Amino acid sequence: MPKNTAPFLLLATVALVGALTACASDPAPAPAGGTSSVAESPTTAAPPADTAEPIATRTLPAGCDEVGSDASRDAVLADLTLQGDGADFIREAPDSAAYVFGCDWILEEVAGVLLLISDVDAADAAAHVSDLAAQGWTCEETGDETICTTGDPTAGEPVSTIVSRDETWIFVDAYNVDAEPLISDLIAQMWS
């Protein structure tokens, strides 16, 4: 039959609390006219404030019906129907890309716009942009972001656009639609 260990645990707990309380008590006061035998720890200065500029924060659209501006949505998406979030689409992106937002608009098999936004490692994004340029994508730095495009709409090809900024990777694939006004407004919306 097991022994009742409750009295032992209670006694051990009281002893432990007593020992910890004794360790945490204030040091004895210094004798009159003398010095204390307890050494004071040196005061450390606060670390210097970080003077580096913070990375611009982004704001994701609240939903697909709020991407860009009213004018750019009307110009680009007026004839298209939202099909979903596009999360399962394969896209051109660095290995570190993690999907955070997306929209897939189509007009039957005639036209469409796929928008996918991912978080990425900034170094991976920069290396991937270099790879895109080597693969024939046209890449241009436009201030805070790099924009790369490929595809020829006059030859019936979709136009793929990538916007890389800090830790954000935006992929847009447009077929028989000029998505540039929507992309421009999205950039302004996310980093204004």
Side-chain angles (χ1 to χ4, degrees), residues 40-133:
E40 292 184 31
S41 61
T43 306
T44 57
D50 186 9
T51 57
E53 290 186 34
I55 295 173
T57 57
R58 67 160 194 232
T59 303
L60 292 173
C64 293
D65 58 344
E66 294 185 25
V67 171
S69 67
D70 290 340
S72 63
R73 281 191 307 276
D74 287 346
V76 177
L77 305 172
D79 297 329
L80 306 179
T81 304
L82 181 64
Q83 297 298 302
D85 64 9
D88 295 328
F89 279 88
I90 297 173
R91 67 201 176 282
E92 184 66 47
D95 291 337
S96 65
Y99 172 92
V100 293
F101 180 84
C103 306
D104 177 28
W105 298 276
I106 66 167
L107 173 62
E108 299 173 7
E109 299 296 319
V110 177
V113 174
L114 173 65
L115 164 67
L116 302 171
I117 302 174
S118 302
D119 288 335
V120 293
D121 176 82
D124 286 349
H128 203 77
V129 164
S130 293
D131 291 344
L132 293 175

Side-chain angles (χ1 to χ4, degrees), residues 58-77 101 105 115 117 142 145 147 161 163 165 170 172 178-192:
R58 67 160 194 232
T59 303
L60 292 173
C64 293
D65 58 344
E66 294 185 25
V67 171
S69 67
D70 290 340
S72 63
R73 281 191 307 276
D74 287 346
V76 177
L77 305 172
F101 180 84
W105 298 276
L115 164 67
I117 302 174
T142 60
E145 54 272 336
I147 300 177
T161 304
V163 178
R165 178 171 174 170
I170 301 171
V172 178
D178 178 10
E180 195 282 324
L182 188 68
I183 296 167
S184 294
D185 283 356
L186 176 63
I187 291 168
Q189 175 186 22
M190 289 179 63
W191 287 284
S192 60

